[in-house]
């Protein structure tokens, strides 16, 4: 099981699952794999197939002599196993005739690892009893919060498109259980986001049982829908209602993540999306605020608006609080700017035209400078964090500023008239 899992993994640019496999595999097995096998082709994980494929050659050395005749060798091409017989033999003259020394033969096979549902269907698609046994084991792992990883093998080479063509040729080696706990600060971050009136939903490709268990631990709620809603047109039409009522979606593909984000936007929500993989790139691009977490792939980073450099999600809550403070400061800036400009213009207009009061040029310049000094201080205003999302409404600061300026002009004119 370990050997097949290692062969179906790639050390260069390893993802989290591959890293876990290489880290936990005993050193002697890793050394054995390097000495005995050669991976001639590797097909990496992709969100559609949800599995990796590796075409492997195993060298078996023979020390004796075999009878006269063509040497048969097996070689692996890009997608098929080729059996060839050649005339170029390594021969020796020996008493009694010609003999050939066989240096080595290649045994070619294919290994695959990936989503347990996909691997189970590959191996037991025509055996309902075996399929149910493996499915029950997957559910058992999921109910305890463990992810399962299926590992399978077949003789000969195969192309990715042929992987499901002949289920009888695949042999399931076993299931690897993986524990991927939520970060320690995740529950606290979710509570803080909810306190700020930010609704948090889970969108994951994991099995439904794992999603429910994880959401229960994080306090997200256990109203999670599985992949069945995407298989029937009747249920798919309920998406506008489901995105509002459920706590998350499990067993999804990249196009489903995109559809959920798009539907939330159609329901007049501002959507933020976090992700780290290629399968999240489209949804990250679609969301108003795409956030690539620490360690995200290049595809996710290039699609995101914000890239987190440190592990954890607490930075998101900090960003929300600072954004709301900035919004309030901008709102106060608009009020002050409109008030100050209208006040100065109206006041001096009334003084010059109505009261015939002579105004020195330096006085106007001095007042303008004082006004700009006060504007600088608005960037450091001590403002509260708004308990709910804020919407921009220019009419509100404009009305407040004009009313304040009229009252200020009236008071200043009365004061000036009395003083004269």
């Amino acid at each position: 099981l370990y050997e097949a899992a290692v062969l179906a993994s790639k050390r260069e640019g390893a993802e989290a699952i591959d890293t876990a496999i290489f880290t936990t595999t005993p050193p002697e097995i890793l050394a054995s794999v390097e000495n005995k096998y050669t991976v001639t082709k590797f097909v990496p994980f992709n969100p559609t197939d949800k599995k990796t494929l590796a075409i492997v050659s195993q060298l078996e050395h023979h020390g004796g002599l075999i009878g006269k005749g063509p040497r048969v060798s097996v070689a692996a091409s890009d997608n098929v196993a080729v059996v060839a017989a050649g005339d170029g033999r390594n021969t020796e003259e020996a008493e009694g005739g010609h003999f050939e020394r066989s240096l080595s033969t290649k045994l070619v096979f294919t290994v695959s690892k990936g989503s347990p549902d996909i691997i189970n269907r590959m191996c037991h698609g025509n055996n309902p009893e075996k399929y149910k046994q493996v499915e029950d084991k997957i559910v058992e792992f999921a109910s305890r919060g463990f992810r399962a990883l299926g590992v399978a093998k077949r003789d000969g080479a195969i192309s990715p498109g042929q992987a499901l063509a002949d289920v009888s040729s695949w042999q399931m080696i076993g299931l690897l259980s993986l524990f991927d706990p939520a970060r320690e600060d995740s529950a606290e971050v979710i509570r803080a986001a909810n306190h700020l009136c930010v609704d948090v939903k889970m969108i994951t490709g994991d099995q439904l049982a794992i999603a429910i268990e994880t959401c229960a631990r994080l306090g997200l709620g256990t109203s999670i829908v599985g992949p069945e809603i995407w298989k029937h047109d009747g249920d798919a039409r309920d998406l506008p209602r489901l995105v509002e009522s459920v706590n998350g979606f499990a067993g999804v593909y990249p196009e489903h993540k995109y559809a959920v984000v798009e539907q939330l936007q159609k329901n007049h929500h501002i959507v933020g999306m976090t992700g780290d993989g290629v399968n999240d790139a489209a949804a990250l691009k679609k969301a108003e605020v795409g956030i690539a977490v620490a360690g995200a792939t290049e595809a996710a980073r290039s699609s995101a608006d914000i890239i987190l450099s440190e592990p954890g999600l607490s930075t998101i809550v900090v960003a929300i609080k600072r954004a709301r403070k900035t919004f309030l400061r901008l709102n106060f800036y608009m009020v002050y700017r409109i008030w100050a400009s209208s006040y100065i213009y109206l006041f001096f207009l009334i003084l010059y035209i109505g009261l015939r009061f002579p105004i020195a040029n330096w006085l106007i310049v001095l007042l303008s400078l004082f006004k700009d000094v006060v504007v600088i201080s608005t960037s450091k205003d001590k403002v509260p964090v708004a308990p709910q999302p804020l919407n921009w409404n220019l009419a509100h600061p404009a009305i407040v500023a004009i009313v304040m300026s009229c009252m200020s002009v009236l008071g200043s004119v009365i004061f000036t008239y009395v003083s004269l």
Side-chain angles (χ1 to χ4, degrees):
L1 178 60
Y2 271 121
E3 285 187 349
V6 169
L7 289 170
S9 305
K10 199 169 184 66
R11 196 182 289 272
E12 297 81 11
E15 297 184 354
I17 291 179
D18 290 352
T19 301
I21 290 174
F22 284 115
T23 303
T24 58
T25 301
E28 58 271 17
I29 295 181
L30 288 175
S32 174
V33 168
E34 292 180 0
N35 295 330
K36 289 169 55 179
Y37 305 105
T38 301
V39 177
T40 58
K41 181 173 181 179
F42 183 83
V43 180
F45 178 90
N46 69 78
T48 302
D49 296 334
K50 290 193 173 183
K51 65 179 181 295
T52 64
L53 283 174
I55 300 175
V56 183
S57 297
Q58 178 181 2
L59 298 179
E60 291 191 350
H61 295 277
H62 301 278
L65 298 177
I66 61 174
K68 179 181 178 182
R71 177 170 57 88
V72 178
S73 63
V74 181
S77 69
D78 282 346
N79 56 6
V80 293
V82 181
V83 180
D87 290 332
R89 296 183 294 271
N90 179 23
T91 60
E92 292 183 0
E93 286 287 342
E95 186 178 357
H98 292 280
F99 290 88
E100 180 187 65
R101 183 182 300 275
S102 175
L103 298 177
S104 66
T105 60
K106 288 186 178 180
L107 301 179
V108 180
F109 60 92
T110 305
V111 291
S112 178
K113 81 171 192 318
S115 167
D117 296 329
I118 300 295
I119 300 298
N120 192 20
R121 197 179 310 125
M122 281 171 47
C123 300
H124 306 132
N126 56 358
N127 190 336
E129 183 179 352
K130 282 283 188 182
Y131 185 90
K132 185 66 168 58
Q133 289 178 359
V134 176
E135 188 176 45
D136 290 342
K137 197 65 179 177
I138 295 171
V139 173
E140 179 189 338
F141 281 147
S143 63
R144 294 159 52 195
F146 291 103
R147 294 183 180 184
L149 190 69
V151 182
K153 173 187 174 182
R154 78 181 296 276
D155 294 330
I158 194 169
S159 66
Q162 297 174 320
L164 293 174
D166 184 11
V167 295
S168 62
S169 62
W170 283 97
Q171 175 188 359
M172 191 164 195
I173 301 176
L175 293 172
L176 288 175
S177 61
L178 306 171
F179 183 53
D180 184 16
R183 298 187 183 276
E184 295 180 357
D185 64 339
S186 296
E188 182 180 350
V189 169
I190 291 170
R191 284 195 297 270
N194 289 334
H195 183 70
L196 294 171
C197 295
V198 176
D199 191 14
V200 181
K201 297 183 183 293
M202 173 183 283
I203 309 176
T204 177
D206 291 336
Q207 291 97 343
L208 180 61
I210 292 179
I212 293 175
E213 176 69 18
T214 303
C215 284
R217 292 181 180 181
L218 297 178
L220 269 177
T222 55
S223 177
I224 310 295
V225 293
E228 67 278 356
I229 68 166
W230 308 102
K231 297 180 180 178
H232 306 288
D233 292 339
D235 291 332
R237 291 193 201 98
D238 291 336
L239 191 58
R241 177 187 60 83
L242 288 173
V243 295
E244 301 288 348
S245 59
V246 303
N247 302 119
F249 299 83
V252 300
Y253 284 86
E255 58 268 24
H256 302 152
K257 296 183 179 182
Y258 183 92
V260 171
V261 171
E262 184 179 41
Q263 187 59 59
L264 285 169
Q265 292 173 333
K266 290 179 179 178
N267 290 8
H268 309 292
H269 293 289
I270 304 297
V271 183
M273 172 79 183
T274 63
D276 63 352
V278 177
N279 54 334
D280 301 315
L284 289 172
K285 192 74 173 177
K286 180 64 176 174
E288 278 85 357
V289 183
I291 304 172
V293 300
T297 61
E298 187 60 36
R301 293 163 65 91
S302 62
S303 301
D305 302 294
I306 300 174
I307 301 174
L308 303 183
S309 58
E310 298 293 334
L313 301 176
S314 59
T315 308
I316 297 175
V317 174
V318 175
I320 293 173
K321 292 180 177 179
R322 290 186 179 179
R324 292 187 183 180
K325 285 185 175 182
T326 302
F327 186 94
L328 287 176
R329 287 178 179 138
L330 285 173
N331 197 64
F332 294 157
Y333 167 80
M334 291 296 297
V335 171
Y336 173 79
R337 196 72 179 181
I338 296 172
W339 167 81
S341 299
S342 59
Y343 166 68
I344 291 175
Y345 296 149
L346 286 174
F347 178 57
F348 280 106
L349 181 66
I350 293 173
L351 281 183
Y352 187 76
I353 296 178
L355 300 179
R356 300 296 178 180
F357 186 82
I359 303 172
N361 294 335
W362 63 268
L363 183 60
I364 298 176
V365 173
L366 186 63
L367 285 173
S368 298
L369 287 175
F370 284 153
K371 182 183 66 174
D372 291 338
V373 170
V374 176
V375 166
I376 295 174
S377 67
T378 58
S379 63
K380 298 295 183 179
D381 276 352
K382 187 176 181 180
V383 295
V385 177
Q388 56 188 3
L390 302 170
N391 294 318
W392 183 253
N393 182 10
L394 185 58
H396 178 265
I399 293 173
V400 171
I402 291 173
V403 171
M404 289 174 59
S405 66
C406 291
M407 295 176 63
S408 300
V409 168
L410 180 61
S412 298
V413 169
I414 293 173
F415 179 79
T416 304
Y417 180 79
V418 171
S419 63
L420 293 176

